[in-house]
Amino acid sequence: VAYPYFVVALLLFGLQMVFGLLAITKYLGPDPIKSFLPFDVSKEIHTNLLIFWVLTGFMGGTYWLVPEESRTELHSPRMAYWALALWTLAGVTAVVGYLFGWTEGNKLLEQPLPVKLAIVVVMLMFLYNISTTIWKVKRLTTTEAVLVSGLALTALLYLPALLTYDNYTVSIYYRWWTVHLWVEGVWEMVQAGFLAYLLIRLSGADREVMEKWLYVIVGLTFIAGILGTAHHYYWIGVPSYWLVLGGFFSALEPLAFLGMAIYAYTAMRRSGLSHPNRMALHWTIGSAIFSALGAGVLGLAHTWPSVNKWTHGTMITAMHGHMAFFGAYVMIVLAMITYAAPGLFGHEQDAGESPAGLWAFWLQMAGMFGMTMAFAAAGITQTYLERILGLGYLDTQHKIQVHF
């Protein structure tokens, strides 16, 4: 069942990169197709595809992990296939709709209401299938519990996205209940669940020791992640106490990602990277390190209100966002795919490594690091020219194009 989910996820990943390249090409100009595909639409499709394919990977990874951890067969493969068909149809409908202007306009949650309702139905089918599988054998590991809890909360926190508000401040306020509490909250539980599973399988580390780290990560996620939402409220017109809450709890958010990096390093030291599937090890350890850098260090770099008032909405935000999302969620999904692939095709685990796979890994690492540094240089320049010297927005954009 996991196989078709992984295939769809990778196809959507490729499509997302195409629209990303298209967006940066249009940004640099000239843009002969802007009349029917403007920059904002290509960017909208790029960001939506990212969320969509990562969630597809989450579901595929869960369909692989839960039967293995519970030592049973999936409750209903047929339901999983129907859910994937509806999910893919909803995604294609959303993308085509964006091309024709069918959008709700709420950033990152632009999906029209019928598409959102289809997404809710798929999430309910998925959660029913997984929970019934676990209930059937009455076996629930800590890894499974953290993973499935994160996915259940993902579905619950999508509900605010179904509501619309005429007041822009109110709309933004509730948008982050979905977007922030996903990517800097419950998705960290999903990442931690996959990370625990992979490190136990790949490093041979003691399950009890590894799963104790999960409690630490979940605790940090709930302590810092929930109230850390406040850093999105700094400048949207809400009371000033959000500045204090955002500054304090956002500074704690990197601790969860730092915990995951230490977690991975501990497992690596125990195993010496001896598992034959070295490609899965690369993506797993890479996810822990890159998320600590992107979400932790780069997030902390501009989360303080006194800094954020200058950097908010500049390329500094893109610097943090690209590296954080890639490290935390893209890499962990690719880790699950590379770990599961040999088993899906009936091969030995060392069949997961190839020169092409290693080239793909290091090229993506180099590309993402280079992109992050370009965003950083452009963001620092933009902040100085636009926010400090007072140069106009378009004039500033023209001057920072050299970084791309």
Side-chain angles (χ1 to χ4, degrees):
V1 171
Y3 177 71
Y5 279 84
F6 289 154
V7 170
V8 170
L10 290 174
L11 289 173
L12 294 175
F13 182 27
L15 191 60
Q16 183 224 341
M17 287 191 286
V18 168
F19 274 94
L21 289 170
L22 180 61
I24 191 61
T25 304
K26 293 164 76 65
Y27 175 78
L28 293 173
D31 184 6
I33 61 172
K34 64 182 178 184
S35 58
F36 62 89
L37 183 59
F39 175 81
D40 63 308
V41 174
S42 58
K43 179 188 174 186
E44 176 183 41
I45 295 173
H46 174 67
T47 53
N48 274 250
L49 282 171
L50 170 62
I51 294 171
F52 204 81
W53 87 257
V54 165
L55 281 169
T56 309
F58 282 175
M59 288 190 283
T62 305
Y63 279 132
W64 171 269
L65 184 152
V66 167
E68 270 218 349
E69 288 284 287
S70 291
R71 299 174 189 171
T72 187
E73 295 296 320
L74 183 67
H75 170 68
S76 176
R78 179 179 293 181
M79 182 184 293
Y81 293 133
W82 277 108
L84 179 60
L86 178 58
W87 179 258
T88 306
L89 177 63
V92 171
T93 302
V95 170
V96 174
Y98 296 155
L99 294 173
F100 292 95
W102 190 34
T103 170
E104 289 198 349
N106 193 9
K107 185 179 178 183
L108 302 173
L109 300 173
E110 295 96 343
Q111 308 86 31
L113 184 60
V115 174
K116 287 180 176 175
L117 293 176
I119 290 171
V120 170
V121 170
V122 171
M123 287 180 168
L124 291 174
M125 292 171 71
F126 166 72
L127 290 171
Y128 173 80
N129 210 353
I130 290 299
S131 57
T132 306
T133 300
I134 295 170
W135 181 259
K136 183 169 62 178
V137 293
K138 305 292 192 300
R139 175 182 167 80
L140 180 66
T141 65
T142 302
T143 301
E144 280 179 298
V146 170
L147 173 65
V148 175
S149 296
L151 291 164
L153 289 169
T154 296
L156 180 65
L157 290 168
Y158 189 66
L159 297 180
L162 302 178
L163 307 176
T164 57
Y165 303 91
D166 294 330
N167 185 294
Y168 187 59
T169 294
V170 175
S171 179
I172 294 175
Y173 183 89
Y174 288 112
R175 179 179 77 200
W176 294 116
W177 282 29
T178 297
V179 179
H180 171 92
L181 291 176
W182 270 10
V183 301
E184 297 178 66
V186 298
W187 281 17
E188 291 179 29
M189 296 171 64
V190 176
Q191 183 198 10
F194 284 141
L195 195 62
Y197 169 81
L198 289 166
L199 289 174
I200 291 168
R201 291 292 196 278
L202 294 170
S203 72
D206 181 69
R207 175 181 289 271
E208 186 178 349
V209 174
M210 289 291 101
E211 290 187 338
K212 281 180 180 177
W213 274 100
L214 281 177
Y215 294 115
V216 176
I217 292 166
V218 170
L220 290 169
T221 296
F222 277 93
I223 292 169
I226 293 175
L227 286 173
T229 310
H231 67 236
H232 295 291
Y233 295 163
Y234 289 163
W235 324 118
I236 67 169
V238 296
S240 59
Y241 59 75
W242 286 109
L243 294 172
V244 179
L245 289 173
F248 179 75
F249 285 100
S250 295
L252 296 178
E253 282 191 72
L255 293 177
F257 291 101
L258 180 62
M260 286 191 220
I262 296 171
Y263 182 42
Y265 177 75
T266 303
M268 182 179 67
R269 284 291 300 272
R270 287 169 178 266
S271 68
L273 296 176
S274 59
H275 194 276
N277 192 338
R278 291 178 62 240
M279 277 312 310
L281 268 170
H282 276 69
W283 287 112
T284 302
I285 303 300
S287 175
I289 295 170
F290 249 60
S291 61
L293 291 174
V297 176
L298 298 184
L300 183 63
H302 78 130
T303 196
W304 299 98
S306 57
V307 176
N308 193 263
K309 71 179 181 180
W310 301 105
T311 62
H312 187 83
T314 68
M315 293 294 179
I316 294 292
T317 304
M319 168 198 76
H320 158 60
H322 278 76
M323 193 171 189
F325 219 109
F326 181 79
Y329 307 121
V330 171
M331 291 183 75
I332 200 66
V333 169
L334 295 177
M336 282 298 299
I337 292 173
T338 51
Y339 176 78
L344 290 170
F345 293 106
H347 299 150
E348 295 296 325
Q349 276 292 333
D350 58 1
E353 183 176 337
S354 67
L358 288 170
W359 271 103
F361 174 83
W362 288 112
L363 284 173
Q364 286 197 62
M365 294 302 98
M368 183 52 63
F369 185 78
M371 187 191 304
T372 302
M373 292 301 101
F375 278 131
I380 292 168
T381 306
Q382 181 185 7
T383 301
Y384 182 72
L385 293 177
E386 185 182 316
R387 305 292 169 84
I388 296 176
L389 295 186
L391 199 66
Y393 175 78
L394 291 178
D395 289 333
T396 302
Q397 292 298 311
H398 179 70
K399 289 185 180 298
I400 65 175
Q401 280 189 348
V402 66
H403 296 294
F404 301 109

